[in-house]
Amino acid sequence: MTIHFYVRFHTQYGQLLAVTGNIEALGNHDIEKAFTLTHLNNEFWHGTIHTNVPESGPVQYNYVLKNEDGFRVFEWGDRMIDTAKMKGPEVIQVIDTWNHAGEYENVFYSDPFQQVLLSDHVRTKAKAVKKFTHLFKVKAPLLTRNEVVCLLGNTGETGNWDTNAPILLNQENGWWTVKLTLLREGFPLSYKYGVYNTKEQAFVRYEAGENRVLYGLQPPPGNEGDQEMISILHDGFVHLPNDTWKGAGISIPVFSLRSKDSFGTGEFTDLKLLTDWARKTGLKLIQILPVNDTIATHTWADTYPYAAISAFALHPLYLNLEEVAGKTYADIIKPLKKKQKQLNELPDMDYEAVMKLKLAAIRELYALQKEELLKDKDYYLFFENNKHWLVPYAAFCCLRDRYHTSDFNQWKTHSKYSKESIEKFVSPKTKHYDEVALHYFTQYHLHLQLKDAAEYAHKHGIILKGDIPIGVYRYGCDAWMEPELYHLDVQAGAPPDDFAVRGQNWGFPTYNWERMAGDGFEWWHRRFVQMSNYFDAFRIDHILGFFRIWSIPLHAVEGIMGYFVHAIPVHLHEFGQYGLWFDHYRYCKPCINDAILWELFGPNNDKFKPFLHAIGDGTYELKPEFATQRQVEHYFATQEPTQDNLHIRQGLFDLISNVILFEQPGSNGQEFHFRFGIESTTSFRHLDGHTQYLLKQLYVDYFFRRQDGYWMKEAMKKLPALKRSTNMLICGEDLGLVPGSVPYVMKQLGILSLEIQRMPKAAGHEFFSPSTAPYLSVVTPSTHDMSTIRGWWEEDREKIQRFFNDELGQWGEAPPFCEPWINKAIVLQHLHSPAMWAIFQLQDILGTSEAIRRQSPQEERINIPAIAQHYWKYRMHMPLEQLIKEKDFNEELKEQVAASGR
């Protein structure tokens, strides 16, 4: 068989187009072996291959753009040539339109839309056509139930533009298709797609834009004979307004849910009740925080949901015990009812008490049900599909509890992971096998309950959105199993911002992206496959980390001590180019003198002298035993936690961070990174004005000029491959110090951005207006890392006054508290945004009603990023059963959602 490829694409000098696919002639999906095309003219690239019809099925292929520097851009999705249905023509000619990944129509071909949100749209079948010359294929995702795509052209075979008798297309594998026999004398063919209403038997409209033109490309070069040939046209999208679909959703951590049957915490089964409420109010999405197992210490510190000990295992916290027990073992749960009621009546979650009771009950239920488990075919299927992570995870948990720490470096055995050794450790023949299989049992039931909740949501037209943390826990199963995938000698975090003035140190190791790329990001692929069992969409936590990550050395405690990796450092010779004499000691060591000590600590500065070594002329350096923040932390951990000691500890942290440059490790004093915010340091302020000016010029170049293109290339090495490995809807959390390349890359890949009213991305703006949001975005007034609308209203009186007058358009003085009408006005602003999704924290929705809002907004906050050891324990103040019965509130919300077109 001969296949001729024609693709419409306008390239620049030095660029090449290639085809990659599932047959040998196209490289078997090996990009290095992709078939390179030839530039034909200003409109087409062309190439011809000869191949045997594959026995394994249809030919799948797509195009890739290769730049001169080796940079590659992939189009989105695969095309298919189903040779079996074409009765084996000798020649196939495909005429394709490049499918740019950033076209927002592609979003509607992701799983949540195809399987849930657009499932009610028309589904038709093609009529059997034995003989044809051309197969037209086009996409139109947002037609209503009675609408179909039609085709009209300037020939008799295409209807002669008669809108009373258009050619109707049929749906097949996501495409609208029609098979036609076209005569050679009819070329060039002018045609257009349109919309036809089958119920009304009426033509609705033509697509926008100029007529499409099909030139007489046949017979292609080398096919002047009488060989049978079929032309396939992949015409992209029908030119219709495809940015009209909008949805609204709710965001809440699972542990924050409250129902009459939950056990002091929200559980996976509660998602069904939340679905019932979402359905009543017209919401289409439920967004939750990560639900992976975080049990590292068996204390409340494990409530931090972004420090999972496994990127695959689910948290036992969310297991509903009654579901596991069933009617057969209900007696096991009955004695816990009194304690369950007490825990459920608490305003917040008591994590330690809940986990103690749940883990004990799970252990008892396992002992009673383990024999039945061995006869459960579904369990065996679950085990086989998940054993690549399940077996090591169960072993890890068993060892964690045996040695009373998740820090595997401290274990007496198995501190280094070995697959063979662990297989022996988990053998059913061992005495401790029940300690291992207990975790198989727990994960199986968690899987059943979350899967059931997801299917229930789908049945009612609602999708679930999960959350992918940017990091993995340093002492978790992932780092234990594959330490080569991570840089364990550093810590990930974030630079300072308004929410954390000294930056954030998350403690996670950073990813070894080069090593991950070696196997095509297989770890990420496995992670996405696991998530897709339950979720339709996901939020990439801190997507900026795929461009560059804030890397902090292990000897540091605060995020301010980090710098971006990867980043182009400042080379030693650049200081000379800027007219600066380089003083390594002055720039790279903490600047401490009497004036600085007085400026920072006033009359209390003498309290810091015991930690310092005087070096003359009123200057000091830190004593060797207090030279790093980690050393200072360890010292004060042995001291009484008085206010004075806490003040001195923080003061020493500030002295240690009072530097201008960090030396690049391994550079032999040749390369450096600027400390973030040097102007705020007393070290910088104590330099002469000319040196300050020159350093600031180099600082601005380092942070805001030289890095952007470099960071874009780093992201494009990772994100396209990760996006291709899943068909879930991807949303990025692109907050913080956002490089200019971030919105460009996200737009190119069709990744939805996050837009927050009080965190504008445009320079010089105090607030972001939801009315200006891009279509491919999620708008929200607050997130779990922020105060709610009501809480924010009471934080900064002057800012709120400006917001009240400028953003809400109100006259006079802003009310001191966020009254329900104000809260409602802000919610409505977001609902009426042009963004595809408006997603709200549940607290912000409830805040619109005086009758059902919580009394104190300070009790509604989920996380405070500036507090490293924050207790995540917020629970909604009313049970879901009661919320579902709030008829007036629910009907009003439903009307507001409907009026906004969502």
Side-chain angles (χ1 to χ4, degrees):
M1 174 185 290
T2 300
I3 303 178
H4 297 279
F5 293 95
Y6 291 90
V7 58
R8 293 182 177 90
F9 198 88
H10 295 284
T11 52
Q12 298 176 353
Y13 181 78
Q15 293 180 323
L16 292 174
L17 279 180
V19 191
T20 178
N22 65 337
I23 59 175
E24 187 175 353
L26 300 179
N28 285 319
H29 287 309
D30 183 343
I31 301 302
E32 302 303 326
K33 298 177 182 178
F35 174 66
T36 302
L37 302 178
T38 302
H39 184 262
L40 183 64
N41 52 42
N42 287 334
E43 186 170 1
F44 287 102
W45 281 70
H46 168 257
T48 300
I49 64 168
H50 304 280
T51 182
N52 294 323
V53 178
E55 296 179 0
S56 58
V59 177
Q60 293 179 326
Y61 70 96
N62 58 14
Y63 295 97
V64 58
L65 174 68
K66 297 181 178 181
N67 286 332
E68 199 171 14
D69 60 1
F71 192 67
R72 297 184 177 112
V73 179
F74 296 84
E75 65 165 351
W76 182 246
D78 284 334
R79 293 177 184 78
M80 183 177 70
I81 304 173
D82 195 345
T83 54
K85 291 185 178 181
M86 297 180 186
K87 307 301 181 185
E90 298 173 50
V91 179
I92 291 178
Q93 172 181 264
V94 292
I95 305 169
D96 294 328
T97 300
W98 173 277
N99 185 16
H100 173 44
E103 295 285 356
Y104 52 73
E105 288 92 345
N106 283 313
V107 169
F108 300 117
Y109 291 91
S110 60
D111 287 344
F113 284 96
Q114 288 297 296
Q115 298 178 13
V116 181
L117 298 171
L118 300 181
S119 60
D120 286 340
H121 287 212
V122 65
R123 294 287 183 266
T124 60
K125 293 184 179 180
K127 297 177 182 177
V129 177
K130 293 183 179 180
K131 205 76 173 174
F132 61 96
T133 63
H134 288 73
L135 171 60
F136 289 81
K137 304 179 74 173
V138 72
K139 290 186 175 183
L142 296 183
L143 301 185
T144 60
R145 175 177 289 276
N146 298 309
E147 291 179 340
V148 301
V149 175
C150 63
L151 181 150
L152 284 165
N154 64 344
T155 66
E157 295 80 20
T158 55
N160 283 320
W161 302 114
D162 182 2
T163 56
N164 291 314
I167 308 297
L168 302 186
L169 280 68
N170 302 280
Q171 276 204 325
E172 185 178 4
N173 296 322
W175 293 86
W176 289 91
T177 70
V178 66
K179 297 171 181 177
L180 298 176
T181 297
L182 302 179
L183 304 177
R184 288 190 180 184
E185 52 267 27
F187 292 97
L189 169 69
S190 292
Y191 67 102
K192 263 192 171 184
Y193 294 104
V195 179
Y196 187 84
N197 188 304
T198 55
K199 184 177 181 179
E200 303 294 333
Q201 295 290 298
F203 180 80
V204 178
R205 60 168 295 179
Y206 278 114
E207 65 177 337
E210 300 293 328
N211 291 345
R212 299 177 188 246
V213 179
L214 176 61
Y215 297 101
L217 290 175
Q218 74 271 25
N223 189 51
E224 287 80 9
D226 295 325
Q227 291 175 301
E228 183 182 357
M229 185 180 73
I230 288 177
S231 296
I232 305 173
L233 287 80
H234 292 101
D235 267 340
F237 296 99
V238 179
H239 301 148
L240 297 171
N242 286 324
D243 58 352
T244 57
W245 191 96
K246 296 195 298 182
I250 198 74
S251 173
I252 188 169
V254 175
F255 62 76
S256 298
L257 296 174
R258 184 187 294 274
S259 73
K260 293 178 180 177
D261 294 327
S262 56
F263 204 109
T265 181
E267 298 167 339
F268 287 148
T269 49
D270 293 327
L271 289 170
K272 290 185 176 183
L273 286 171
L274 187 60
T275 294
D276 292 339
W277 176 73
R279 188 185 180 198
K280 272 184 175 288
T281 54
L283 303 177
K284 297 183 176 75
L285 178 149
I286 293 172
Q287 176 177 323
I288 61 177
L289 294 187
V291 288
N292 297 101
D293 187 357
T294 60
I295 303 173
T297 65
H298 287 289
T299 69
W300 66 263
D302 296 339
T303 59
Y304 180 38
Y306 290 90
I309 63 166
S310 169
F312 301 88
L314 299 170
H315 203 309
L317 176 71
Y318 305 118
L319 191 66
N320 182 283
L321 298 174
E322 288 191 72
E323 288 277 323
V324 179
K327 293 181 180 179
T328 306
Y329 302 102
D331 289 345
I332 301 299
I333 308 302
K334 284 181 181 177
L336 302 177
K337 287 291 183 181
K338 182 178 179 181
K339 189 63 179 177
Q340 178 185 10
K341 185 174 184 294
Q342 292 173 352
L343 290 170
N344 230 18
E345 289 175 348
L346 295 175
D348 297 313
M349 173 180 65
D350 184 340
Y351 176 84
E352 292 180 13
V354 170
M355 287 303 298
K356 182 179 180 181
L357 287 167
K358 279 204 172 188
L359 292 178
I362 291 170
R363 185 176 294 274
E364 190 172 356
L365 287 167
Y366 165 73
L368 293 169
Q369 297 183 27
K370 63 181 181 180
E371 297 301 326
E372 296 173 24
L373 197 68
L374 297 177
K375 302 173 185 177
D376 187 341
K377 292 181 180 179
D378 289 335
Y379 166 73
Y380 278 105
L381 181 62
F382 166 78
F383 185 88
E384 286 301 314
N385 289 338
N386 296 277
K387 65 181 179 182
H388 66 91
W389 65 264
L390 181 60
V391 170
Y393 160 78
F396 180 90
C397 292
C398 187
L399 290 162
R400 172 201 62 200
D401 294 341
R402 175 180 294 184
Y403 296 118
H404 306 291
T405 178
S406 69
D407 183 355
F408 45 85
N409 299 299
Q410 299 182 35
W411 294 349
K412 294 178 181 178
T413 62
H414 306 290
S415 60
K416 292 191 182 299
Y417 175 79
S418 162
K419 185 177 181 180
E420 295 75 17
S421 176
I422 291 303
E423 284 177 352
K424 293 179 182 177
F425 181 80
V426 301
S427 170
K429 297 178 181 178
T430 61
K431 293 181 180 179
H432 61 258
Y433 179 69
D434 280 341
E435 297 298 316
V436 174
L438 169 67
H439 300 288
Y440 301 158
F441 171 82
T442 306
Q443 289 301 311
Y444 175 55
H445 282 283
L446 285 164
H447 162 76
L448 292 177
Q449 291 184 13
L450 182 54
K451 186 74 172 174
D452 183 51
E455 290 173 352
Y456 185 84
H458 292 168
K459 181 180 177 181
H460 292 93
I462 293 168
I463 66 171
L464 292 187
K465 180 181 175 185
D467 197 331
I468 288 212
I470 185 59
V472 300
Y473 187 55
R474 180 176 300 279
Y475 304 120
C477 188
D478 302 284
W480 175 57
M481 284 181 66
E482 300 178 276
E484 68 278 4
L485 297 183
Y486 316 97
H487 293 298
L488 294 165
D489 56 343
V490 294
Q491 309 165 94
D497 57 25
D498 291 341
F499 300 96
V501 295
R502 292 183 176 89
Q504 297 177 51
N505 183 352
W506 304 325
F508 310 137
T510 62
Y511 293 119
N512 184 346
W513 289 112
E514 291 76 16
R515 173 62 183 80
M516 287 182 160
D519 62 3
F521 302 100
E522 177 58 26
W523 182 83
W524 285 93
H525 176 67
R526 295 196 307 264
R527 196 176 185 187
F528 289 154
V529 168
Q530 177 72 2
M531 284 201 73
S532 66
N533 288 328
Y534 319 108
F535 300 107
D536 311 283
F538 65 89
R539 164 190 178 270
I540 300 180
D541 173 46
H542 193 63
I543 197 173
L544 306 186
F546 291 85
F547 293 75
R548 77 293 183 273
I549 195 70
W550 190 251
S551 181
I552 307 160
L554 285 177
H555 62 68
V557 173
E558 297 178 321
I560 190 65
M561 297 293 291
Y563 55 87
F564 288 122
V565 174
H566 294 83
I568 302 171
V570 179
H571 197 275
L572 183 63
H573 67 75
E574 292 185 68
F575 292 92
Q577 292 174 347
Y578 272 76
L580 283 161
W581 175 66
F582 185 78
D583 185 339
H584 186 282
Y585 188 90
R586 179 66 181 82
Y587 294 158
C588 298
K589 297 292 183 181
C591 183
I592 309 172
N593 56 41
D594 285 326
I596 287 174
L597 289 173
W598 182 265
E599 183 178 338
L600 292 177
F601 311 118
N604 289 321
N605 74 86
D606 281 343
K607 295 181 179 180
F608 294 86
K609 297 290 178 65
F611 303 93
L612 306 175
H613 170 67
I615 55 178
D617 299 326
T619 61
Y620 305 87
E621 61 183 14
L622 290 147
K623 289 181 178 180
E625 60 269 32
F626 303 110
T628 71
Q629 290 187 337
R630 195 66 67 187
Q631 287 175 309
V632 170
E633 181 186 56
H634 287 160
Y635 170 77
F636 280 96
T638 66
Q639 306 300 305
E640 188 178 347
T642 63
Q643 283 298 113
D644 209 33
N645 278 337
L646 293 174
H647 174 74
I648 295 171
R649 185 186 70 166
Q650 185 58 58
L652 291 173
F653 283 174
D654 292 342
L655 287 177
I656 291 167
S657 67
N658 189 32
V659 297
I660 292 172
L661 295 171
F662 298 124
E663 184 177 332
Q664 169 74 41
S667 71
N668 296 317
Q670 298 296 302
E671 296 177 339
F672 303 88
H673 298 275
F674 273 102
R675 202 211 87 158
F676 188 85
I678 58 169
E679 287 181 295
S680 66
T681 67
T682 52
S683 177
F684 181 83
R685 293 200 299 270
H686 280 252
L687 293 169
D688 65 85
H690 182 65
T691 301
Q692 287 182 0
Y693 173 79
L694 295 176
L695 275 175
K696 188 61 189 292
Q697 298 304 306
L698 191 52
Y699 174 91
V700 169
D701 176 79
Y702 171 81
F703 273 111
F704 303 107
R705 296 196 184 114
R706 71 174 65 192
Q707 310 291 358
D708 213 42
Y710 180 63
W711 286 338
M712 182 182 76
K713 288 184 178 180
E714 284 296 312
M716 292 300 284
K717 291 177 184 176
K718 309 156 193 168
L719 287 173
L722 301 184
K723 188 174 190 295
R724 288 195 305 273
S725 69
T726 180
N727 200 35
M728 290 185 284
L729 178 65
I730 304 178
C731 308
E733 188 252 325
D734 52 334
L735 305 178
L737 191 67
V738 182
S741 59
V742 172
Y744 172 79
V745 168
M746 292 178 67
K747 187 175 180 180
Q748 291 300 307
L749 297 177
I751 297 175
L752 276 65
S753 63
L754 178 61
E755 310 294 337
I756 299 180
Q757 194 166 30
R758 68 183 94 157
M759 290 187 68
K761 294 170 183 173
H765 289 73
E766 186 173 23
F767 305 107
F768 164 78
S769 173
S771 65
T772 63
Y775 179 62
L776 285 188
S777 69
V778 175
V779 292
T780 185
S782 67
T783 74
H784 62 271
D785 282 331
M786 306 162 66
S787 51
T788 60
I789 294 173
R790 294 171 61 208
W792 174 61
W793 198 265
E794 300 175 22
E795 290 174 0
D796 187 329
R797 182 65 188 164
E798 292 182 1
K799 179 178 282 191
I800 288 302
Q801 184 63 55
R802 292 191 295 273
F803 180 87
F804 184 73
N805 299 140
D806 300 337
E807 300 302 314
L808 293 182
Q810 300 293 321
W811 293 90
E813 186 176 349
F817 304 104
C818 185
E819 298 171 4
W821 72 268
I822 296 174
N823 196 314
K824 185 182 297 183
I826 294 172
V827 167
L828 289 174
Q829 281 184 332
H830 288 74
L831 281 174
H832 287 271
S833 165
M836 176 180 281
W837 287 102
I839 300 176
F840 305 90
Q841 287 199 89
L842 180 65
Q843 306 95 296
D844 287 337
I845 293 291
L846 300 183
T848 64
S849 167
E850 183 69 48
I852 65 174
R853 58 172 21 186
R854 198 174 194 140
Q855 184 173 1
S856 170
Q858 283 70 41
E859 296 173 357
E860 295 181 321
R861 183 149 187 178
I862 296 170
N863 179 40
I864 303 175
I867 301 176
Q869 288 289 308
H870 181 73
Y871 193 166
W872 298 57
K873 59 181 180 177
Y874 162 77
R875 293 189 78 196
M876 55 187 295
H877 64 289
M878 63 168 61
L880 285 161
E881 293 91 343
Q882 180 184 338
L883 181 59
I884 291 170
K885 293 177 181 178
E886 295 290 340
K887 184 178 179 181
D888 293 342
F889 173 78
N890 293 333
E891 287 184 355
E892 182 181 1
L893 178 57
K894 184 176 182 178
E895 290 173 1
Q896 292 166 351
V897 171
S900 70
R902 298 186 182 276

